[in-house]
Amino acid sequence: MNSRIHFFSQHDVIPRKVAPELLGIRGRQANEFAELGFPILPGFILDSEIASELDIRAVKKDVGGLLDKCASLVGKKYGDPENPMLLKVVLSPNLAVSAYPTLHNFGLVKPTIAGFADKVGNTFAAHETLFLVRGMLRIEARIRELENKTDEREEIDGLLKSLSRESASDHGEKSAEAYMETYAEYFPEGFFDSAEGQLLITLGEISRMLRMDDQNDRDTAVLVEPMVYGNYGENSCSGYYFSRNVVTGEKKLQGEFFQGKFNEMGAAGKSIEKIDPRHYKELESIAGALEDKFKEIRQIRFTVENGNLWLIEQRLVDQKSTQADIRLLLDLAERKIVDKTYVIKAIEPPRLNEILHPVIDSASTKGFKSWSGGIAGAPGAAIGKVYFSTDSLLEARKLALQKGEGNPRLILVLTSSFAEDVKAIEVSTGVLTAEGGYSAHASVVARQYGKVSLVAPALKIKGKKAVLDDLTFAEGDLITINVPYYGESSVYLGTATLIEPDPKESGLLDFIHLSKGFLKNFRVRANAETPRDAELALSFGADGIGLCRTEHMFFKAERINVFREMILSSDEAERKKALAKLQVMQQADFYGILKVMAGREVTIRLLDAPLHEFMPHNDDELAAYIASIEKTRKVKVSRAEVHASIEALHEFNPMLGHRGCRIAVSYPDIYAMQVRAVFEAAYQLRDEGIDVHPEIMVPIVMNASELKLIAYGKKIEGSSYAGIVDIEESLREEKGAKPVPYEIGTMIELPAAALGAGDIAKYGRFFSFGTNDLTQTALGISRDDFTAFMPDYTLFDLLQGNPFSTLDPRVKELISLAVQRGRITRPDLVCGLCGEHGANPANVRFCMDAGLDYVSCSSYSVPIALLAVAQIEIERAEAAGAAK
């Protein structure tokens, strides 16, 4: 036996001393199957050292002997006129990309075609003969090209073009014998005369081609293997299956088989579960072995011929869910096939978006009118009736609940959203807007509440109708929004089928627990404003709350008019009454959140939004507010006077106007009310035996003097300002309570604050970087408007990426500088990042490198950030180990 020819089968493995690269990719795959003991078709490989230098006469005897070995295992003999074994010849280079043709059905010659047709039918026999002809014509065309025989090459190319138009219906008119007669002249003499001669001619032609091909460089092996057919008798079938369910990850075979069919083309399949139990058991065993070897879900193709199961091929699966991958990895880890490190490294953090939100069943949208495009604001899929204002959506929800219809599915469609729309987004399934981008108000709020958000610049709203290019829908119409993390977003007119996430069933909670095991000093907190949000954040692995935006609490329907009454009150007595009502509400808010987060830090940002955002924005809201005041005060209120008071609060650039700590300077009672509510809740919980750690954060600070005033107060001639410390001490004395540990800090969201961090750190024990506003103020770009010009900037490479998704280098520099300067003043200064940048793995890496202590992001993004941290910690540990 020539040492360059290697036999393999279910029971014969090519020795390890044979260099793998000599076998090519397909040869190595075949031998891997043999090593696993799978029921593979036997075969042999002419390795790359001999494939291009074949002496056909020298290998004729070896080839014949190996074909006999194959025949003994397959149960058919090559060249047998009654039951012929056919062969495929595979060119096996080491490069993954190959232009070599598929070569099947060798052994179809004049003496064998009748016996083959008797098994599979004349039409199929003609089809397979034509397939053989096509493959070999491509080999002959390449040879003519290498020999510079242009005319002959062009003639063969013309034949191939005509053959590509040949349809299966033609086989009733053309027999296999007719094809042989027609095309015999294009092959070496005797090609269709005998099976042995055909194979030797083919191997010779392939070797000649490889020898002439300068690009080959002895890199290609040749594999010869028998073929089996799912239509070869009654007890035959073809099929495919996945090693487990590719959507749910359930460890259960998923696939089909096609009884009496060569493949699935035009065939009706049956569930793989209905195949012969003997075969099913073997297919299960194969699936498990492949998953253990490749550590991923695999797709397997097989053929049963005359009751014998043969594995044809296996490959990786592209279209599979994150949930399926996670469940497989957890299963492998449980059985010690892989370690925990492998599991964590195997999933890219952004993929978790898919498992945290509903996904669309694409089959359910067939025939729907649709529009595709836009900017993903918050991933997932949502179904609901369309409403074009917060009021109309809330009214529709109210009516549905009154009718006992349950919680309705509603989608908010706006040009852009503002603070007063938060309450509608919270109860909707999704939001569709025309303006902004990933960091637009609607997108940020949607991520916070786990809703779906899509920004569609093409959206035009006209009265009670909306238009997206050719797609039109009216208020009350049902639409489906699909915002995948990868790929293009879509809006469908109609109701699709959604696959809802289940964190426990999906394996996500176990995966989070595994991720947290790799964390060291760096932590992940959540942005949350309700006890429900806090509970969700805890279930997703958060180590506390890094941002509680108190302004969101005032937009609830039962509170907004009380807050408006406080702002627009005409005298101090009215304001105090309103503040007293709000304090009760705020105390309940903080009590619930601090209780859920027992033992963990809760960073409460005092009111940040400009006051005008809380004002009525249309006639209906104004009328409702006036009615509320008249009911409370028992007096008639002038609409004109109220309107004038609202107009007085108008600002031309509110983002840089009267907001945050500036409100506290002008209206100290507002912050005082919030601070009292925090400590009232903290004292109550402490008395109940619950450990609490409130952190009070002052927003939009630009210098140390502002923080010093609000934190510690100030006395000047004829006036005084009660700071947070003063309020806490006064309340504690009033109640005779013991002190509760708390911290005062600030949000660094202005370049001036970053540069002045050394002085600011004198009065604050923590910094939280609000990177949305820091990016806006550092770059001078509005997060809600930048999408209008970003495509042009991207075209000319004027700005790399989306600065509201991945931190800009200059913003990073400001953060690093602030951390360094702050810790010179206060070495134990705690620093975190609480903008929406917090879940981006690239930003997480920067935060860890810059010495921050945590990132904080929406509850639904916490698992993503945790995984990013875990992977970075693993990377660091591996680098440290390699350096030793």
Side-chain angles (χ1 to χ4, degrees), residues 64 68 127 245 493 499 511 514 609 732 756 773 797 803 860 875:
D68 287 341
H127 176 275
N245 190 291
L493 186 59
I499 302 171
F511 190 76
L514 212 60
R732 179 158 35 92
D773 276 351
D797 294 326
Y860 288 93
E875 181 185 311

Side-chain angles (χ1 to χ4, degrees), residues 155-212:
E155 182 182 2
I156 295 175
D157 283 346
L159 283 173
L160 286 168
K161 286 181 181 178
S162 67
L163 284 173
S164 68
R165 295 190 292 270
E166 194 91 52
S167 68
S169 62
D170 296 321
H171 301 162
E173 300 174 9
K174 294 183 180 179
S175 66
E177 291 87 350
Y179 281 126
M180 291 179 186
E181 290 293 335
T182 301
Y183 297 104
E185 65 178 287
Y186 298 100
F187 305 121
E189 187 177 352
F191 186 75
F192 289 113
D193 291 347
S194 74
E196 179 188 47
Q198 187 181 73
L199 178 61
L200 293 176
I201 289 170
T202 299
L203 294 177
E205 291 293 88
I206 289 172
S207 183
R208 185 157 70 101
M209 179 190 72
L210 294 176
R211 188 163 54 251
M212 289 189 292

Side-chain angles (χ1 to χ4, degrees), residues 284-348:
E284 269 191 322
S285 176
I286 290 169
L290 285 172
E291 286 190 344
D292 288 355
K293 178 176 175 60
F294 292 99
K295 303 173 182 62
E296 64 183 12
I297 300 172
R298 306 298 285 186
Q299 182 178 3
I300 301 103
R301 302 192 73 85
F302 66 91
T303 295
V304 175
E305 184 181 89
N306 290 326
N308 296 315
L309 173 67
W310 299 101
L311 197 60
I312 303 302
E313 70 169 353
Q314 61 83 30
R315 59 185 177 85
L316 60 83
V317 179
D318 293 324
Q319 299 297 320
K320 55 185 175 177
S321 72
T322 302
Q323 174 173 321
D325 275 343
I326 286 179
R327 289 187 65 176
L328 165 66
L329 290 165
L330 292 172
D331 175 50
L332 293 174
E334 185 178 354
R335 295 186 293 109
K336 311 298 183 186
I337 303 297
V338 300
D339 59 17
K340 295 177 181 178
T341 298
Y342 184 94
V343 175
I344 296 303
K345 290 172 67 175
I347 299 292
E348 294 180 10

Side-chain angles (χ1 to χ4, degrees), residues 97-139:
V97 179
S98 170
Y100 294 129
T102 303
L103 304 172
H104 285 181
N105 306 320
F106 293 96
L108 279 181
V109 290
K110 294 172 184 177
T112 64
I113 190 63
F116 182 70
D118 186 55
K119 302 289 185 183
V120 299
N122 290 326
T123 299
F124 186 79
H127 176 275
E128 294 303 281
T129 302
L130 190 60
F131 196 98
L132 165 63
V133 168
R134 284 191 187 120
M136 277 307 293
L137 281 176
R138 290 189 175 93
I139 295 294

Side-chain angles (χ1 to χ4, degrees), residues 334-383:
E334 185 178 354
R335 295 186 293 109
K336 311 298 183 186
I337 303 297
V338 300
D339 59 17
K340 295 177 181 178
T341 298
Y342 184 94
V343 175
I344 296 303
K345 290 172 67 175
I347 299 292
E348 294 180 10
R351 288 190 65 196
L352 294 183
N353 268 301
E354 178 191 313
I355 206 171
L356 289 161
H357 302 281
V359 294
I360 198 169
D361 180 353
S362 57
S364 67
T365 61
K366 287 182 179 178
F368 284 11
K369 292 181 179 179
S370 66
W371 174 89
S372 296
I375 303 162
I383 295 169

